[in-house]
Amino acid sequence: MGSVRLTARRRAAVVAALMLAAFTFNTTENLPVGLLSLISDDLRVSLASVGLLVTGYGLTVAVVSLPVAHVTRSVPRRHVLAGLLGLLVLASWVSALGALSYGPLLAARVATALAQALFWAVMGPVAVGLFPPERRGRIIGLLSAGGSLASVLGVPAGTWLGGHSGWRTPFLVLGALGLVSLVMIAVLLPTSRPEEGHAAYGAAPDARRFAVVLATTALSVTGAFAGFTYVVAFLDEVSGFSRGSVSALLLVFGVAGIAGVSAAGPLLDRFPRGTLTVPVATQAVALLGLYAGGGRSQVVAIALLMLLGASVGPVFMATQSQVLRFAPGRTELALAANSAAFNAGVAAGALTGGALLSAVGVRGTFLVGGVLTLGALAVLTWPVGTRPDEVASPTTRRNPRIGLQ
């Protein structure tokens, strides 16, 4: 899928369609958080059962990402993306059915999670493969910005819409957005073999550095969510904010996240190491700072919350870019492994914070998160050498597919 086959306008339209799809998937994943009480009351199930619609979603993505990417590795990406978006549309509209009970809703969520698991693995190579290799980082930045908008725009808008017209309506809208992406991809993206093009394989394959990136993803995300899972309680009980102001503070967190992703995206190609090391370090500072000073000053708490928001998004974006660089084999398999590490980190962080909550309190979960993030920083900055026998031969440099099937 070389860039010569598409005009600049057509390539831009494909990236826009993938950004819209990323926004739709991320909004769909987290929307039940904003509709928790509405779904619970309407379906007459517990809040914990509704919460499973989110945690079960993330666990499904973590478990199936790599196997599904492996099974579909030979299927043309246009067909894969069309099928995934079709599943998103269908599951969203099933979720909007008036007579739907909890069981079918959970099944629709699992189906959407299956689609999202593969979407994140396929989306990056498809998008960056449309452009010259030196623009990989910028394209990953754009896709990440599309996904980040879900927390700032998608979930709040869906929550508002659900409160005014019923919780099923937002899923109806999300299905329509998915359909727009589906039509654009089906019309604009050419059919080609998935192993074609420079984005199908790592630019500088290195199994050990790839392992470092996966470990960084898992540890940093676990650290972030060990604390952030309980950020509402922290802002209320520790920082002393009123419950009415917490929603505004979470919006500030989301806006800071978009700003961080937007600022770091253009720098990924020029400073690949720094754009990962810096946000991991600032995430650690934010978490430890909230533990140490979040209860002393509300101004400090807001500043550190913004720093945390500006760090979390760029960390995952930078690891995705690093995976495209160091993948020891096909990039979609490597990206699936990174997505699995991310979602496993979300679940592990929430479970770790919850397990320690009674012992360390809400404030202590941010200390735990900060320490875990420091572990990620240590792994990332630990010297990783390359053995002489691992240096690519001139033939391998010219044809990176050799030995990487």
Side-chain angles (χ1 to χ4, degrees), residues 44-284:
R44 298 179 181 178
V45 296
S46 67
L47 291 176
S49 296
V50 181
L52 184 61
L53 297 176
V54 177
T55 56
Y57 191 109
L59 288 173
T60 300
V61 174
V63 171
V64 306
S65 290
L66 197 53
V68 173
H70 181 76
V71 169
T72 60
R73 67 189 184 281
S74 299
V75 182
R77 305 294 87 171
R78 177 171 173 263
H79 298 162
V80 169
L81 284 170
L84 297 177
L85 290 169
L87 186 55
L88 169 65
V89 172
L90 179 61
S92 297
W93 285 346
V94 166
S95 301
L97 294 175
L100 193 72
S101 61
Y102 178 78
L105 176 60
L106 180 59
R109 295 285 297 173
V110 171
T112 310
L114 288 171
Q116 182 165 329
L118 185 55
F119 174 78
W120 287 112
V122 172
M123 172 184 68
V126 167
V128 301
L130 299 174
F131 297 86
E134 62 271 15
R135 297 183 64 182
R136 282 188 172 194
R138 298 182 195 177
I139 303 305
I140 290 294
L142 287 173
L143 299 177
S144 298
S148 298
L149 279 172
S151 61
V152 177
L153 178 61
V155 174
T159 302
W160 178 87
L161 183 60
H164 286 77
S165 57
W167 65 265
R168 291 175 172 83
T169 305
F171 288 100
L172 190 65
V173 174
L174 288 169
L177 293 178
L179 183 60
V180 172
S181 299
L182 168 59
V183 171
M184 292 178 69
I185 291 297
V187 171
L188 298 174
L189 189 65
T191 301
S192 59
R193 295 175 60 85
E195 66 271 19
E196 293 177 351
H198 65 84
Y201 298 89
D206 191 313
R208 284 183 290 176
R209 285 185 169 85
F210 172 66
V212 166
V213 174
L214 290 187
T216 300
T217 297
L219 281 171
S220 64
V221 174
T222 301
F225 280 86
F228 186 73
T229 301
Y230 305 97
V231 68
V232 172
F234 180 92
L235 293 172
D236 179 18
E237 300 173 15
V238 178
S239 299
F241 289 98
S242 66
R243 294 195 174 185
S245 64
V246 169
S247 296
L249 292 173
L250 292 179
L251 178 62
V252 168
F253 174 88
V255 170
I258 291 179
V261 167
S262 300
L267 302 176
L268 288 173
D269 295 312
R270 295 177 58 193
F271 308 104
R273 186 173 179 83
T275 46
L276 179 55
T277 305
V278 170
V280 171
T282 54
Q283 177 181 304

Side-chain angles (χ1 to χ4, degrees), residues 3 5 67-68 84 90 109 111 135 162 172 198 206 211 223 300 313 317 322 327 332 342 367 387:
S3 59
R5 297 180 61 182
V68 173
L84 297 177
L90 179 61
R109 295 285 297 173
R135 297 183 64 182
L172 190 65
H198 65 84
D206 191 313
V300 170
M317 177 181 68
Q322 290 283 285
E332 71 266 23
F342 177 89
L367 173 62
R387 297 193 306 269

